[in-house]
Amino acid sequence: MKYFIFRNYTIEPFFKDFEAEFSGYEDISVVPDADRYVWWYFAPYKINNQTAAGEIENYGNLLEFTFCKIDANKLVFVFTMQPIFCLNYQTKENTVNGAIINYNQKIRKLSEKYKNLKIVDFAEFVKMQGTVSLPLIDWKFYFFSQMPLNPKLANDFSHWFARQIETIELKRKKCIVLDLDNTLWGGILGEDGAEGIKIDETYPGNCFLFFQEYLLELVKNGIILTVCSKNNEQDVIDLWNDHPNLKIRKEQLAAWRINWNNKVENIREIAAELNIGLDSLVFVDDNPTERELVRQLLPQVETPDFPEKPYLFPEFVKMLTDRYFSIYEITKEDREKTQQYKENTERKQFESKFTNFDDYLRSLEIELTIENLSEMNIARFAQMTQKTNQFNLATKRYTESDLRDLDDNGAQIFGLRVKDRFGDNGLTGLLIITNYETAIDTFLLSCRILGKGIENVFLQYVLMRLKEQGMKTISAKYIKTLKNCQVENFYEQNGFILNNYTEEIKNYLLSLRDINYTISDIYKITEI
Amino acid sequence: MKEKIKEVMLRVFQLDEIPDNISQSNCTKWDSMNHLNLIVELEEEFDVSFEPEDIAEMKSLDLVENKLKSIH
């Protein structure tokens, strides 16, 4: 991934870990070809505030001018400007700060207008430096080599910036696994009893209340909450039902394992039940022995240290958010995720009432909607390519601009919306057909809708549509990853002919003339 | 001390070996940006802080070593 960086100061050491080229200082004369662009201008460290403010205003104009020249399909990461060094000769004066505020407002407006302009909020990095002893500026390097930031912060910056890119690419952890005693409340339920545990408005109960409120907010932001605790399940269920102060009860949880079994096994079971990978989990437990066990046996699971004292929860939740759960923007599907996972559990219970599987499917009243790429769904389409691991035949990761490219090149992009009597799963499937060589480029489904034959109907419906359009043959690929072995034989099952294969890739062909699928009337299918 | 300096240079210049007579004039990797990187790494490795005058002078392995010895 090649980055080109527009800048007004010496910042090369901060991009050591990236393949990056740099503009001249304040040089916007050329826009060379690159995969991604960065715009990082600092407020000038000037003695005269009018001069500084004038330059800042000009930087905003330079950005607008330059941004227009960059390919609209390429991401441009624009840093917010921060007042790092300002001389306020008069307390009431606001010349430089005012100019910085205007500059930041301008880039935020641009980001609302142009989807490929993504904000990188440098204020977050500046705030983080409050927690380390290094000064933000080492003036020696400023005067010696025009460095606006202490070069010894380069490694911290590199990690931080890599995480910012992840949030823009919509990568984050999906699920948090929580212990109960001394994690969600103070004290031990089995010993102190429901009246003895600490969760109220006084210290230390207010710290745990703070943490529970945070977890509730995570749910609203689409993170799945689960519990893994050594306790008597009935005691906890009684507490959930009766304790007035709890914020997190069974309604907020997508799954729990409350028993005396090994936590490693319990965590494995939770991941399996929710159909998500272990590397999507963050495990939070106050007990260092349990944490160590999980670190040793489940290294894919993130296991952060737990705060030593309850009053340190704010720093802890800030760390959890920044490191694991923040994301550039949240889609509607994300927000409804816990609800959807719960609905799926209800569906599983419902299933046992039927002897005939088709009867069961029919009773679900499944409605499938197939929709083409649009500005309304492009963020979700890109997110599905980034996040779907298990039911994903080729596992190609796309950004919004990649999808626009495909669309411009004539690809047919079909999204699938799935609804049944228990609820709306939203956009949960994606099928991309390229046309320069008629091929299935991407076929994926979210795991939460599997087990109902939807994957077959979706594929077959689209293939029949292509046949009607007059296409003769279509090729397809299965590309093996660590996580997608469940779909290893999916194309065979749908009548594709295996053409050739290696360890990693299976290539298929299908003659559309030979197929004649009957789409079952179990599913109500509409196209929009 | 010389060996420790060489280790830092290996890392910064990404070379396989550092000749004893290395200097800014005979090493293409030792450009102004890497000079800065070298200074940053040396300051961290030896827990010292150079003055800009020192930085401008430290243009060969020998000169780097002399400077470090003089402030240690």
Side-chain angles (χ1 to χ4, degrees), chain A residues 14 40-42 45 78-84 108 119-129 136 148-149 153 157 160 164:
Chain A
F14 294 92
W40 191 8
Y41 273 57
F42 284 79
Y45 303 160
V78 178
F79 280 64
T80 62
M81 194 180 274
Q82 299 306 320
I84 297 177
R108 282 189 197 280
I119 305 269
V120 175
D121 193 3
F122 186 54
E124 289 295 317
F125 182 78
V126 173
K127 276 183 232 152
M128 233 169 66
Q129 290 321 113
L136 261 178
L149 271 188
L153 298 172
F157 174 83
W160 177 80
Q164 301 311 303

Side-chain angles (χ1 to χ4, degrees), chain A residues 89-104:
Chain A
Y89 302 102
Q90 304 174 51
T91 309
K92 71 179 185 66
E93 189 193 318
N94 195 30
T95 320
V96 175
N97 273 328
I100 291 175
I101 289 167
N102 288 342
Y103 176 89
N104 289 337

Side-chain angles (χ1 to χ4, degrees), chain A residues 43-58:
Chain A
Y45 303 160
K46 288 273 161 77
I47 292 299
N48 181 284
N49 284 343
Q50 273 70 35
T51 315
E55 288 196 40
I56 292 166
E57 193 190 340
N58 187 43

Side-chain angles (χ1 to χ4, degrees), chain A residues 140-141 144-145 147 151-152, chain B residues 36 40 43-44 49-50 55:
Chain A
K140 174 177 72 190
F141 289 108
F144 195 74
S145 358
M147 294 204 52
K152 287 173 185 138
Chain B
L36 190 69
V40 172
E43 287 195 346
E44 285 190 321
S49 176
F50 299 111
I55 298 172

Side-chain angles (χ1 to χ4, degrees), chain A residues 97-365:
Chain A
N97 273 328
I100 291 175
I101 289 167
N102 288 342
Y103 176 89
N104 289 337
Q105 270 172 355
K106 181 177 241 173
I107 64 173
R108 282 189 197 280
K109 273 199 194 119
L110 286 173
S111 82
E112 280 159 25
K113 199 162 156 200
Y114 302 102
K115 286 238 167 185
N116 63 323
L117 191 154
K118 306 286 185 187
I119 305 269
V120 175
D121 193 3
F122 186 54
E124 289 295 317
F125 182 78
V126 173
K127 276 183 232 152
M128 233 169 66
Q129 290 321 113
T131 58
V132 301
S133 53
L134 286 168
L136 261 178
I137 310 174
D138 184 331
W139 288 105
K140 174 177 72 190
F141 289 108
Y142 172 75
F143 285 110
F144 195 74
S145 358
Q146 293 84 52
M147 294 204 52
L149 271 188
N150 189 341
K152 287 173 185 138
L153 298 172
N155 284 335
D156 288 345
F157 174 83
S158 207
H159 291 139
W160 177 80
F161 185 56
R163 175 71 190 117
Q164 301 311 303
I165 295 174
E166 280 182 4
T167 66
I168 288 168
E169 290 171 341
L170 307 176
K171 291 177 187 158
R172 64 168 176 176
K173 300 293 171 190
K174 292 177 182 168
C175 171
I176 186 165
V177 183
L178 298 154
D179 175 48
L180 293 176
D181 292 329
N182 284 318
T183 298
L184 284 200
W185 51 71
I188 297 168
L189 179 61
E191 291 171 16
D192 305 324
E195 295 75 30
I197 61 161
K198 296 186 172 59
I199 177 91
D200 54 27
E201 299 300 340
T202 59
Y203 183 84
N206 54 0
C207 301
F208 291 95
L209 212 50
F210 176 91
F211 187 48
Q212 291 210 4
E213 273 168 18
Y214 168 72
L215 295 168
L216 202 57
E217 207 56 36
L218 284 186
V219 176
K220 288 184 200 156
N221 282 282
I223 303 297
I224 304 161
L225 297 195
T226 64
V227 157
C228 173
S229 162
K230 288 183 174 163
N231 252 310
N232 291 326
E233 189 173 13
Q234 195 54 51
D235 294 349
V236 176
I237 290 176
D238 292 344
L239 188 79
W240 280 338
N241 287 334
D242 303 333
H243 202 292
N245 294 347
L246 296 179
K247 303 277 175 204
I248 301 300
R249 303 167 192 269
K250 60 175 176 290
E251 290 74 18
Q252 282 74 39
L253 302 171
W256 65 80
R257 288 291 180 282
I258 299 168
N259 52 43
W260 301 93
N261 301 344
N262 180 334
K263 288 208 174 184
V264 170
E265 280 319 305
N266 281 333
I267 292 172
R268 279 212 184 97
E269 279 184 33
I270 287 173
E273 178 176 337
L274 298 176
N275 231 334
I276 57 180
L278 285 166
D279 58 1
S280 301
L281 303 181
V282 178
F283 175 58
V284 174
D285 194 316
D286 68 294
N287 184 334
T289 321
E290 300 286 10
R291 290 202 302 270
E292 194 49 34
L293 185 75
V294 172
R295 277 189 195 132
Q296 293 286 335
L297 296 177
L298 300 175
Q300 313 91 311
V301 175
E302 291 287 349
T303 307
D305 282 334
F306 193 78
E308 296 276 329
K309 300 283 179 195
Y311 54 76
L312 295 177
F313 269 124
E315 285 168 22
F316 183 62
V317 304
K318 172 85 177 125
M319 184 279 291
L320 288 178
T321 311
D322 291 347
R323 197 175 297 172
Y324 305 122
F325 299 120
S326 61
I327 195 162
Y328 191 76
E329 60 185 336
I330 289 167
T331 61
K332 195 163 145 273
E333 274 79 9
D334 280 325
R335 279 198 211 101
E336 293 165 357
K337 193 162 290 158
T338 299
Q339 186 57 29
Q340 287 160 355
Y341 278 99
K342 281 173 63 68
E343 284 165 1
N344 281 355
T345 314
E346 284 170 26
R347 266 180 215 111
K348 275 184 187 160
Q349 290 160 2
F350 199 63
E351 195 171 347
S352 55
K353 292 184 194 159
F354 296 90
T355 45
N356 177 319
F357 189 65
D358 276 359
D359 278 354
Y360 159 66
L361 288 181
R362 215 174 286 279
S363 74
L364 289 178
E365 297 163 17

